[in-house]
Amino acid sequence: MRRNPRLVTPIDRGRGRSRHGRGGRSSVTGPELAPITTRAEAFDRIVGDSAHYLVGLWPEELAGVVFQVADMPSDVTLPDAMPRWRIDRDTRRVTVFRIPVERVNRSPEKDDADRRIIIETAVFRAVGELIGKDPWDLAPDRYRHW
């Protein structure tokens, strides 16, 4: 859901006016351009797109599955390796952890396509674990063009 860049929420600045008395501050991009998308918003969108794609391919197996994104795992009993996702079969929930997945692509030579593939791979592997299938069997033609 995109925010309307023209809607400004009032901010209490103490004396009822903005910084140095210059009036309201506009967004960095201005009214003509779309608002800046953060890394977290881009991550959420890629997870959502991947989940939507997989639900379209496996509607019966993924019926009622809830996909969510969390920054980090909140468990106090973590294994030695940091998990990138969590599967809860009882509640049919897949949680993808943004920061551990983003840490995989901390290389300067990786571009947006590489980041997208890394995030999609985490979603595919989590769904494969949930329904008991190999991640490559979930969408065999997805990456066949490479």
Side-chain angles (χ1 to χ4, degrees):
M1 179 178 192
R2 290 216 151 157
R3 293 185 300 163
N4 186 345
R6 297 176 201 277
L7 295 178
V8 179
T9 51
I11 298 173
D12 182 17
R13 301 236 184 240
R15 291 181 291 206
R17 59 179 206 194
S18 63
R19 187 171 151 193
H20 303 295
R22 294 188 197 135
R25 300 181 84 178
S26 65
S27 68
V28 174
T29 58
E32 301 84 23
L33 301 174
I36 295 173
T37 304
T38 65
R39 278 193 328 235
E41 291 170 340
F43 188 93
D44 291 349
R45 187 173 52 246
I46 293 170
V47 169
D49 292 347
S50 302
H52 183 72
Y53 176 74
L54 288 171
V55 168
L57 291 176
W58 300 90
E60 294 174 10
E61 290 82 352
L62 297 177
V65 173
V66 175
F67 292 86
Q68 65 182 23
V69 174
D71 287 337
M72 289 288 290
S74 59
D75 296 343
V76 292
T77 59
L78 287 175
D80 292 335
M82 180 65 65
R84 288 181 246 162
W85 61 85
R86 178 184 304 130
I87 304 301
D88 187 355
R89 286 184 174 83
D90 296 334
T91 60
R92 309 240 337 132
R93 184 176 304 268
V94 175
T95 305
V96 181
F97 300 116
R98 182 180 61 85
I99 294 173
V101 171
E102 284 182 341
R103 296 286 180 196
V104 173
N105 62 9
R106 285 286 183 214
S107 178
E109 62 269 3
K110 293 191 176 170
D111 60 0
D112 289 340
D114 292 327
R115 289 183 187 98
R116 182 174 189 91
I117 289 171
I118 289 169
I119 296 167
E120 285 179 353
T121 300
V123 175
F124 274 55
R125 290 178 67 188
V127 168
E129 184 180 324
L130 176 70
I131 64 175
K133 296 200 179 288
D134 186 71
W136 290 102
D137 293 337
L138 293 176
D141 294 331
R142 176 77 170 176
Y143 300 107
R144 194 166 301 257
H145 60 279
W146 285 347

